[in-house]
Amino acid sequence: MLRKLITGAVAVGTVGGFALLAPTANAATVTAVPTAVAVGHDTAAVTFDGLTELMIQRILIGDDVAASKYFSGKPVDDPVREQQILDSVRQSAVQLGIDPDATAAFFQAQIDASKVVQRGLLAYWAAHPDKAPTSGPDLNVIREKLDALTTQLLAELVRVDHLRQTGLRCDISLVVSTATGDIRHHLDALHRQAVRTASATVC
């Protein structure tokens, strides 16, 4: 399988069986997202590359969320915040003409993916304090970045909506895009697991 072709960089430690790598990307940096323009419902030119890139950017920001919570002591789970996100994206989905339940499920997967990263890193830092961050980012600033990504993700969901309903074609396109994203960002095992979690509801 394509995922098995993905190779990582040099590991600096492990968390619950996940290899942790030296940082290879700035989680706070939002890069340009590749896009393809669909003509009507023709999905031939449409891929999940843009959606996958945004999902990975959100996952990488999970590193900053973990660092913030490491210093603040706040729990990984934040039911109030999570429900606010899901309620908001449901309303946006209705306005954008895409399925609100599928949209909410997609964003629940993004939230769960961030938790995979947060729990993995917090466990690793607890076991290896010498590897822990030396400062914690402002969680409010991080949330502003996440909110911006939510808007971009919604736009991508509109663009790939028809592709998501194409069965095997959707599955193949998703595998190719996530594998490409894994390699491009040199993701370690923990973050690759987060990508699998984030992409679980795409097709």
Side-chain angles (χ1 to χ4, degrees):
M1 292 180 63
L2 285 173
R3 291 188 185 280
K4 293 183 179 178
L5 298 177
I6 299 169
T7 58
V10 179
V12 299
T14 58
V15 175
F18 293 119
L20 295 181
L21 307 183
T24 56
N26 183 349
T29 301
V30 177
T31 58
V33 177
T35 59
V37 178
V39 179
H41 286 310
D42 180 12
T43 61
V46 180
T47 71
F48 287 122
D49 289 354
L51 186 68
T52 298
E53 176 63 25
L54 290 171
M55 289 191 299
I56 292 174
Q57 288 179 22
R58 195 183 193 284
I59 286 167
L60 292 175
I61 289 178
D63 292 28
D64 289 338
V65 177
S68 177
K69 292 182 177 180
Y70 178 79
F71 282 93
S72 69
K74 291 183 178 179
V76 170
D77 294 296
D78 187 347
V80 174
R81 164 78 175 170
E82 293 170 19
Q83 192 59 52
Q84 288 173 344
I85 293 171
L86 296 178
D87 290 344
S88 176
V89 297
R90 279 181 178 277
Q91 294 175 4
S92 295
V94 172
Q95 296 171 354
L96 293 168
I98 55 179
D99 185 87
D101 291 335
T103 302
F106 171 82
F107 277 95
Q108 181 65 65
Q110 307 319 299
I111 293 170
D112 293 342
S114 180
K115 290 181 182 181
V116 167
V117 172
Q118 292 177 54
R119 290 194 174 105
L121 290 176
L122 288 170
Y124 179 71
W125 295 333
H128 305 277
D130 58 311
K131 303 294 185 181
T134 57
S135 62
D138 186 333
L139 191 57
N140 290 325
V141 174
I142 296 171
R143 284 176 172 174
E144 289 178 2
K145 295 174 183 177
L146 291 173
D147 289 342
L149 279 171
T150 294
T151 299
Q152 293 176 280
L153 282 163
L154 283 165
E156 278 297 300
L157 288 177
V158 172
R159 191 181 65 83
V160 301
D161 186 54
H162 186 66
L163 179 58
R164 294 181 69 191
Q165 303 170 44
T166 58
L168 181 60
R169 185 174 185 176
C170 178
D171 293 333
I172 294 172
S173 181
L174 182 61
V175 168
V176 172
S177 292
T178 55
T180 301
D182 287 351
I183 295 170
R184 182 171 60 249
H185 286 275
H186 305 288
L187 300 180
D188 59 27
L190 176 63
H191 291 79
R192 289 199 301 271
Q193 176 61 45
V195 170
R196 288 191 289 272
T197 300
S199 61
T201 63
V202 172
C203 293

